[in-house]
Amino acid sequence: MSGSPPTVSVVIPTRQRLRSLLAVLEALERQDHPAELLETVVVADGDPATAAALRGRPGLRVLEQPHGGPAAARNLGIRSAGAEVILFIDDDVVPSPWCVRRHAEAHASRPDLAVIGPLLPPRDGAWASPWVRWEARTLQRQYSDIEAGRWRATARQFYTGNASVRRDHLVGLDGFNTSLRRAEDVELGFRLRDRGLSFDFLPEATAYHEAERRYRSWVWAAREYGRVDAMMATEMGRPEVLEWAASEFHGRHPLTRSAIVHCLRHPALSSALCAAAAPLARAALRCGGGPVSDRLCGGVFNVLYWQGVRQQLGEEPAVTLRMIDRARP
């Protein structure tokens, strides 16, 4: 197997992001992986205008579905793909010319592998917003820790903005859980782990995350990550998910921990914090206060995450606080 590069299907779910998607498709046309071993499948998720704009584009398969979310869109792409390896790329992630080849090479000799490529900052170095900057910098710290050997890549880093796995594993697991609108990739990662796959971070398989996210959408996503983690812990038989989160709580900055506890006890504080954080983070970044902006965004994300946990576990904050306290080192 090591001498024969596998065929690759790049699966891209998309919804109302034609401009960024076109940049992704142009980058895929410049890949140095053999063209006869590569196909690109775009799934328009309740977005007939994007599907119509892409029809007839050479070398591209365009599928449509009613709006069902990225998990359902990726599942449709998996079912329709004809290659041995599925590479998931988001519609705002621009792959380097060697990205597909690096993924393929990793799978050539390892059928039991899930490959994670890095999501790098925008090519022009411009941040669309403070919260996008914070997300990117948080990812870079994770990658640096993995490359330094502080810990290994796991299912928790299986982010399908830039990740690949052999199609037969995905089919065997029935793909993504379509009931989840966030963290569906990590949940699939846990099932891949249970199937016996290993996770490999491949720093050479680079791609650039050129994200534009409205603050309201980012706030919703932060809460949803917490809610989904709580759902995985209590309804999907993975209590370790919240055990990790509770343990990591105690490593947060003291101000962040205090904000989480006070906002769990007094939900109105969470709304006030969210309303104030966006303009403050923007102002800090404009004035050269990048660390202050990052601290604000990180604090708000953590508060919102634990609000989502509380929502899923029940409205009584004592339940969530007791769980956090049990993880105290």
Side-chain angles (χ1 to χ4, degrees):
M1 287 177 60
S2 60
S4 177
T7 54
V8 178
S9 293
V10 178
V11 172
I12 308 171
T14 190
R15 179 171 168 80
Q16 299 175 351
R17 284 182 178 171
L18 180 59
R19 182 175 62 84
S20 64
L21 174 61
L22 289 174
V24 177
L25 296 177
E26 289 167 6
L28 287 170
E29 291 169 357
R30 297 192 295 269
Q31 294 297 302
D32 61 10
H33 191 65
E36 66 273 15
L37 302 180
L38 174 63
E39 71 168 352
T40 300
V41 181
V42 170
V43 183
D45 180 31
D47 188 1
T50 292
L54 297 177
R55 296 284 183 208
R57 192 179 180 100
L60 179 65
R61 296 177 60 195
V62 181
L63 308 175
E64 289 187 75
Q65 68 171 26
H67 181 37
R74 290 191 187 99
N75 284 348
L76 177 56
I78 293 166
R79 292 194 299 271
S80 304
E84 300 162 89
V85 170
I86 305 293
L87 169 56
F88 297 108
I89 294 283
D90 278 348
D91 60 5
D92 58 359
V93 173
V94 179
S96 64
W98 49 84
C99 179
V100 173
R101 176 172 55 85
R102 292 296 194 177
H103 277 276
E105 288 171 348
H107 288 285
S109 59
R110 291 286 305 276
D112 59 345
L113 196 64
V115 177
I116 302 160
L119 295 167
L120 300 180
R123 290 168 294 174
D124 62 5
W127 304 102
S129 63
W131 40 95
V132 168
R133 167 194 152 99
W134 171 80
E135 284 185 344
R137 290 171 67 83
T138 300
L139 275 178
Q140 301 319 303
R141 286 195 296 273
Q142 288 187 22
Y143 300 150
S144 295
D145 286 343
I146 293 172
E147 289 190 81
R150 297 185 184 96
W151 41 277
R152 295 181 59 82
T154 70
R156 297 178 73 190
Q157 287 77 49
F158 188 68
Y159 306 137
T160 46
N162 180 12
S164 62
V165 67
R166 284 188 171 264
R167 182 178 181 274
D168 56 350
H169 294 303
L170 298 167
V171 172
L173 292 172
D174 294 325
F176 293 84
N177 184 332
T178 57
S179 70
L180 306 179
R181 294 302 177 98
R182 276 292 182 273
E184 73 279 356
D185 44 7
V186 172
E187 191 276 333
L188 174 61
F190 288 135
R191 286 186 284 129
L192 290 169
R193 179 198 64 186
D194 295 346
R195 190 178 172 89
L197 271 69
S198 301
F199 294 84
D200 189 16
F201 174 66
L202 199 64
E204 302 87 0
T206 50
Y208 302 89
H209 194 192
E210 313 213 329
E212 295 181 13
R213 184 175 297 179
R214 288 176 296 179
Y215 186 63
R216 180 179 296 182
S217 171
W218 182 75
V219 164
W220 174 84
R223 285 198 184 98
E224 191 67 4
Y225 281 123
R227 194 186 69 80
V228 169
D229 276 5
M231 184 188 302
M232 283 195 280
T234 59
E235 299 179 13
M236 300 181 182
R238 300 194 184 280
E240 68 272 17
V241 174
L242 278 189
E243 290 168 3
W244 289 326
S247 177
E248 289 165 356
F249 166 90
H250 296 286
R252 304 296 182 208
H253 191 278
L255 289 176
T256 299
R257 296 200 304 268
S258 178
I260 291 169
V261 170
H262 282 85
C263 288
L264 284 172
R265 289 173 175 157
H266 309 286
L269 288 176
S270 175
S271 299
L273 177 62
C274 287
L280 287 174
R282 285 195 187 100
L285 201 52
R286 281 197 302 269
C287 297
V292 174
S293 174
D294 290 345
R295 182 71 69 189
L296 273 168
C297 291
V300 169
F301 184 93
N302 277 274
V303 164
L304 293 169
Y305 172 92
W306 284 103
Q307 288 285 325
V309 171
R310 178 192 175 198
Q311 176 189 346
Q312 185 64 28
L313 294 182
E315 289 303 312
E316 176 51 57
V319 175
T320 305
L321 291 169
R322 281 199 299 270
M323 184 197 66
I324 291 173
D325 193 59
R326 284 197 297 271
R328 188 182 300 276

